[in-house]
Amino acid sequence: MASEKGVTVGVLALQGAFQEHIARFASLNACSFTHRVRAIAVRRPEQLEQCDGLVLPGGESTAISLGLHNAQLTEPLRAWIAQGKPVWGTCAGMIMLAAIATGGKRGGQELLGGLDVHVGRNGFGSQVCSFEAGVVCPALGDDELPGVFIRAPVVERLLGDVVHQREAAAAAAPADGLSLAVCPAAALALPRAPLEILGWIPASAVPDVAAHNPLDGVPSTAVHGAHPPHDAHVVAVRQGHVMATSFHPELTNDTRLHAYFVRELILSPR
């Protein structure tokens, strides 16, 4: 467990860019980071028990959901989140941590929950619509983060009354061959930390995609952190010890988010 000797970060290694995440965490040791960081691949419940924090990497969220079941990791991960342990989801990982997700194939997928957000799968379009854009992230300074968006989700709404909104979503009928997925009700019975917007991209970065204002209907006092312009796309959020980004920081050489996860979510008592 986390100590002066170091921190162990697990990266779910069922699919997606897990090796790149492991490499980014390992590189923190070469830049005088405050603690030594050991990153390991997690494929079994006993490996999860070795970790101080966990990353759910990008990939295909339906396949990841199935892989979790096959590896008998679904319930251990739900217990991990319920216990308030640090977890960071990137791209498909953001979808897995959402309370509500739309845009999946009919039949959907299971969500883990942990974040009071409604996300849209493939929020910026299909694989051919992938792009790169600078991400505004005030918590990490004035310089934008390089954002790699590959069939990326987007935060469509911050959920103020998450229990009611989940119940309403669960009762909604899917249309156009697409499905709506909701996290287990038990995930919403946990103490709720305030939501915090960490990062966004301007509407001009993806002019063909209409921007959602996820703050619609949510009192501004209920959201901590920065408040983006009304026409921005929200692509990074935090709620207590749960964090998610819709882009792939592991596919760049910028390790600021990896350092932030270790420093602020694993080592911080918050």
Side-chain angles (χ1 to χ4, degrees):
M1 296 296 102
S3 67
E4 292 182 359
K5 294 182 179 179
V7 172
T8 298
V9 179
V11 182
L12 186 68
L14 302 179
Q15 194 204 28
F18 59 89
Q19 290 287 6
E20 288 83 353
H21 270 298
I22 290 173
R24 295 289 84 74
F25 281 114
S27 70
L28 295 179
N29 297 315
C31 59
S32 302
F33 192 66
T34 55
H35 285 63
R36 180 144 190 93
V37 180
R38 180 175 73 112
I40 65 171
V42 172
R43 297 185 177 92
R44 301 187 303 276
E46 58 268 28
Q47 293 168 323
L48 181 62
E49 295 172 2
Q50 303 174 36
C51 301
D52 301 304
L54 179 71
V55 174
L56 306 179
E60 206 289 316
S61 57
T62 307
I64 291 174
S65 178
L66 178 61
L68 290 176
H69 270 291
N70 292 341
Q72 298 183 320
L73 275 166
T74 303
E75 293 311 317
L77 283 184
R78 285 179 175 152
W80 175 281
I81 295 167
Q83 293 163 17
K85 295 182 178 180
V87 59
W88 172 19
T90 61
C91 197
M94 171 184 271
I95 297 170
M96 296 297 299
L97 293 172
I100 303 171
T102 50
K105 295 178 182 179
R106 181 165 289 175
Q109 64 189 77
E110 287 194 80
L111 303 180
L112 298 171
L115 288 170
D116 295 349
V117 296
H118 175 174
V119 305
R121 292 175 88 252
N122 301 339
F124 299 107
S126 63
Q127 183 84 16
V128 297
C129 300
S130 300
F131 65 97
E132 296 184 18
V135 178
V136 179
C137 190
L140 298 182
D142 295 333
D143 293 338
E144 293 181 345
L145 289 168
V148 178
F149 295 82
I150 304 174
R151 288 197 305 168
V154 67
V155 177
E156 295 188 353
R157 292 186 69 188
L158 305 180
L159 303 178
D161 184 352
V162 66
V163 174
H164 172 76
Q165 288 166 304
R166 178 201 173 277
E167 290 173 351
D176 299 327
L178 299 178
S179 73
L180 179 149
V182 294
C183 73
L188 306 182
L190 308 171
R192 318 308 292 174
L195 278 163
E196 181 176 348
I197 294 176
L198 289 180
W200 62 87
I201 57 175
S204 58
V206 277
D208 296 331
V209 178
H212 300 272
N213 182 1
L215 289 169
D216 279 347
V218 180
S220 60
T221 55
V223 180
H224 290 202
H227 283 62
H230 73 278
D231 60 347
H233 299 281
V234 172
V235 295
V237 292
R238 175 182 177 183
Q239 190 167 11
H241 285 89
V242 182
M243 182 172 90
T245 55
S246 64
F247 53 99
H248 290 266
E250 77 282 3
L251 298 183
T252 76
N253 291 323
D254 192 310
T255 58
R256 281 180 288 168
L257 270 171
H258 291 80
Y260 178 89
F261 178 63
V262 175
R263 183 180 64 250
E264 301 295 334
L265 275 76
I266 296 178
L267 295 174
S268 171
R270 168 181 165 180

